[in-house]
Amino acid sequence: FFLMSEGLRLTYLDVPGYAESIRLALCIGDIPFEDERISYEEVQKRRQEGKLPFGQVPVLHVDGKLFSQSAGILRWAGRQSGLYDDERALACDEIEEAMNDIRIALRPQWYGAALGRDPASGEPLVELSDSQKEETLELLCSRVLPTRLQMLEVRLGTKDYFCGDQLSTCDLSWYVMCTGLQEGWYCSKVPPSVLDGCPNLVKVAKRVAEHPKVQKWNEEHSKKSE
């Protein structure tokens, strides 16, 4: 484990989003950390002040040093907590990348723009018209998401977790995505029915939700809209 004299501070918005799987990994590993939740206005302020290495959150302070990029932070947290190791790395990374394909497809809905947000200002780039948003949503719900999710369903098979019988960081990421789709906060206009053909994926999310430390975390932190 990484020896820390000054502790950890994870900074993100007050929503699950890209930080929740990291929070859960640290929680499951009994690794103390400061869960700093800031407003989007504060994100903009820190971006303008050059305090965000890539203009975005989450960021992690480790022993006084600042690190960015959620995927890298999650892998680091997973190693500290025993949820990510060399034996599982390739299988786990494969699933994470497949979920990232889904996130990329959702960005036009999240931001209402073809290119997401300007990395310097945070403003939407190439804003979509109402008709383009409607067409994008229809294709997401009828083709893109069902196909991507079915690929994950097939890859999972009948295993308890994506990497076998052990909980891994990719299961935490999937739990956040799945529950967000079920509850309507991951992408507000995408219906839970996109998961109808994926019973085993839903079971994985349920197993994660039933983990005692995840249950305790959820009792103490209510989920809010992304």
Side-chain angles (χ1 to χ4, degrees):
F1 290 121
F2 195 99
L3 295 177
M4 293 166 285
S5 60
E6 298 182 25
L8 297 176
R9 182 169 80 251
L10 178 65
T11 303
Y12 192 63
L13 300 164
D14 190 17
V15 294
Y18 282 94
E20 192 72 356
S21 55
I22 302 167
R23 293 167 179 151
L24 291 173
L26 295 171
C27 176
I28 290 170
D30 292 322
I31 300 170
F33 71 103
E34 179 187 346
D35 182 21
E36 183 186 27
R37 302 186 181 215
I38 61 177
S39 66
Y40 185 67
E41 289 71 26
E42 180 63 20
V43 172
Q44 289 180 307
K45 180 174 178 289
R46 296 188 189 187
R47 182 187 291 126
Q48 293 166 359
E49 294 172 346
K51 294 180 178 179
L52 302 176
F54 295 96
Q56 59 195 13
V57 288
V59 293
L60 182 70
H61 285 84
V62 182
D63 215 16
K65 296 180 180 179
L66 180 63
F67 299 91
S68 187
Q69 298 296 339
S70 58
I73 295 172
L74 178 59
R75 285 193 292 269
W76 181 89
R79 288 192 183 278
Q80 308 312 303
S81 57
L83 298 172
Y84 182 90
D85 52 35
D86 290 345
E87 185 177 347
R88 287 177 281 176
L90 186 57
C92 193
D93 289 349
E94 173 192 68
I95 300 302
E96 289 285 0
E97 290 300 320
M99 284 187 281
N100 197 46
D101 288 338
I102 293 174
R103 296 186 195 103
I104 290 170
L106 289 173
R107 284 176 187 167
Q109 284 300 308
W110 283 342
Y111 305 124
L115 291 178
R117 288 180 175 156
D118 187 306
S121 69
E123 295 299 316
L125 290 175
V126 191
E127 293 189 56
L128 303 178
S129 66
D130 289 343
S131 63
Q132 288 173 322
K133 291 176 185 177
E134 290 175 7
E135 183 180 6
T136 300
L137 180 63
E138 194 281 324
L139 289 172
L140 271 173
C141 297
S142 66
R143 294 174 59 181
V144 177
L145 293 178
T147 301
R148 292 284 186 193
L149 291 168
Q150 188 56 221
M151 289 173 176
L152 280 171
E153 175 82 0
V154 171
R155 201 62 173 141
L156 170 65
T158 58
K159 300 190 296 293
D160 287 345
Y161 298 105
F162 281 111
C163 296
D165 59 0
Q166 286 183 297
L167 178 68
S168 303
T169 50
C170 60
D171 301 302
L172 300 181
S173 295
W174 169 245
Y175 162 73
V176 174
M177 181 178 287
C178 183
T179 54
L181 290 171
Q182 290 173 319
E183 296 173 8
W185 52 258
Y186 200 79
C187 190
S188 60
K189 294 184 179 180
V190 173
S193 59
V194 295
L195 292 162
D196 284 352
C198 306
N200 291 328
L201 288 179
V202 172
K203 288 178 184 177
V204 169
K206 187 172 184 293
R207 287 190 188 96
V208 175
E210 292 171 349
H211 190 289
K213 291 180 180 178
V214 174
Q215 287 183 325
K216 182 179 179 182
W217 177 267
N218 287 336
E219 289 169 3
E220 296 172 352
H221 304 82
S222 61
K223 292 186 176 67
K224 298 181 181 179
S225 176
E226 182 161 337

